Amino acid sequence: MTELDTGDAAAAEPQSQTGRRAHASRSNFMRKVFFASGATAVATTGGAGAWAALADDSTGTADASASASPSGAPSGGPGGSTGGPGNQSITEDFFGPTTDGKRIDDLYSVHSTGVATAPVIAAARAFLAGLTDTQKTATQFTVHSTEWRLWSNVDSYARQGVTLADMTADQKSLGTALLKSALSADGLETTEKIRKINQAAGEAINNTNAFNEDAYYWTLMGTPSATEPWGFQFDGHHLVINYFVLGDQVVMSPCFWGSEPTSKEIDGQTVTVCHEEVVAGLAFINSLTEAQQKVAIASSTKSNESMKAGAFSDNTVQEYTGIRGSVLTGAQEVLVTTSTYDRDALLDSFRGLARVAGLTTT
């Protein structure tokens, strides 16, 4: 998964020019990680698309330098300086994504779900109690605060709340306990791995000021309660968790888990994220007939507009596109609903891509 990257200087430019600059910025960043870490790390960022990005010099040095931040990584505010694909902002009333711009009333209801939220409430209360008064003032907002909408998955974004970098070891442990109570074991592991890879990527390009495992922020909305609405937000580069609680109901949306690269050797061990999803996605798309793929594949290349509901796109209108589930075969339906992960097959696939690109992987 990757984020929308557009720089402030490009806000008033035509979209095509903005897209070219964003692509150049991303290519520069990935080249740095590539040369610092080797072909295997970059190969696992996205298959053929990653190799194409590394090989594409058509954007030119001027475009790359124009949108790259001093860190040499993609720059931009939440979802890009233009406010995301729909050019929206939090000054608009929240409407929510729709397919036609028409709100569906009573789409969700308040009802008992039987989810055990007591551990999350207890962990959140302990987390707040562990903060200093100054930290708590900066971190706790009302449940109706626009902080819910001020998330972003880009690195160069001024966030609110308390950052891990400014927390003691005990405070960090309380935060980890909150995540552990709220997420599944896989969710917690993925969250921790994303932070580790962000640190390793920063070390690889000699810029841990911008990319590190502590550049992530906590905010809490409302007061942890068994009866009143409340929630928390944990966000940073490639990682956004919005977690809303009302009684025994939990809503986790929007959330973002991603990484560039998705695989990195750290302290002698290979750390990987999102590979299961990559393998499952490839298995499904390859199961489609040529005619089905023409309907299912919106574009053969990834562009700056590929993300349709990123940061600051709260009210985006996205028509139904792609292939309908009702026309899939039984086997294809299974591939859509079942995620399988064959690490050896995955590595073989990326080794093949490396050979095509004329590079060597291990």
Side-chain angles (χ1 to χ4, degrees):
M1 288 183 247
T2 55
E3 68 266 53
L4 278 167
D5 296 28
T6 54
D8 291 341
E13 295 180 312
Q15 184 59 48
S16 59
Q17 180 71 3
T18 302
R20 284 196 297 271
R21 292 195 174 196
H23 173 75
S25 179
R26 175 169 302 287
S27 296
N28 270 2
F29 173 62
M30 291 312 299
R31 282 191 182 93
K32 288 189 176 185
V33 177
F34 168 73
F35 287 119
S37 309
T40 303
V42 176
T44 55
T45 64
W51 295 114
L54 287 169
D56 184 5
D57 289 316
S58 62
T59 50
T61 304
D63 280 349
S65 61
S67 66
S69 65
S71 66
S75 64
S81 60
T82 58
N87 196 27
Q88 301 165 12
S89 72
I90 63 168
T91 59
E92 297 177 326
D93 289 338
F94 178 79
F95 191 85
T98 61
T99 60
D100 56 7
K102 298 178 181 178
R103 187 201 308 264
I104 301 176
D105 293 328
D106 300 322
L107 183 61
Y108 300 102
S109 63
V110 176
H111 63 277
S112 178
T113 64
V115 174
T117 57
V120 186
I121 296 169
R125 287 172 175 168
F127 173 77
L128 281 175
L131 299 179
T132 66
D133 289 342
T134 300
Q135 289 174 324
K136 190 179 299 182
T137 298
T139 302
Q140 193 168 18
F141 297 79
T142 68
V143 74
H144 297 291
S145 172
T146 54
E147 172 60 18
W148 281 118
R149 301 171 66 184
L150 288 172
W151 63 270
S152 177
N153 49 285
V154 299
D155 59 278
S156 51
Y157 173 50
R159 295 172 168 85
Q160 302 188 80
V162 60
T163 175
L164 295 180
D166 293 331
M167 297 170 67
T168 66
D170 287 343
Q171 290 172 332
K172 288 181 180 179
S173 294
L174 290 171
T176 299
L178 176 52
L179 289 176
K180 185 176 181 179
S181 70
L183 305 177
S184 67
D186 285 344
L188 179 62
E189 182 181 22
T190 299
T191 297
E192 295 301 303
K193 283 182 176 180
I194 289 171
R195 292 177 48 231
K196 287 182 179 179
I197 292 178
N198 200 49
Q199 174 76 36
E203 293 173 355
I205 63 175
N206 195 31
N207 186 11
T208 54
N209 287 333
F211 302 95
N212 60 74
E213 62 184 344
D214 285 339
Y216 295 86
Y217 289 70
W218 281 103
T219 53
L220 275 84
M221 275 57 77
T223 301
S225 167
T227 57
E228 299 300 316
W230 70 280
F232 68 82
Q233 185 180 83
F234 184 68
D235 83 314
H237 190 214
H238 288 147
L239 176 61
V240 179
I241 300 172
N242 282 289
Y243 198 97
F244 174 82
V245 182
L246 175 58
D248 62 0
Q249 280 186 287
V250 171
V251 177
M252 289 182 63
S253 180
C255 288
F256 187 107
W257 284 273
S259 183
E260 280 185 326
T262 55
S263 183
K264 196 98 170 56
E265 185 171 323
I266 302 175
D267 296 331
Q269 293 186 338
T270 301
V271 178
T272 61
V273 294
C274 300
H275 285 182
E276 186 174 343
E277 292 81 358
V278 170
V279 172
L282 288 172
F284 169 68
I285 204 68
N286 288 329
S287 76
L288 300 179
T289 66
E290 184 176 346
Q292 286 177 317
Q293 287 184 356
K294 288 182 179 179
V295 178
I297 300 174
S299 173
S300 60
T301 59
K302 178 188 176 298
S303 72
N304 195 48
E305 292 301 302
S306 294
M307 183 182 289
K308 301 300 183 183
F312 278 34
S313 297
D314 296 333
N315 299 333
T316 190
V317 177
Q318 176 61 39
E319 297 179 355
Y320 286 117
T321 57
I323 190 167
R324 293 176 65 96
S326 59
V327 305
L328 299 177
T329 67
Q332 290 169 341
E333 288 182 1
V334 171
L335 290 174
V336 169
T337 57
T338 305
S339 179
T340 57
Y341 175 34
D342 185 334
R343 182 177 183 275
D344 291 335
L346 177 70
L347 290 177
D348 285 343
S349 173
F350 285 131
R351 289 189 182 105
L353 289 169
R355 285 192 291 272
V356 171
L359 299 169
T360 302
T361 62
T362 55

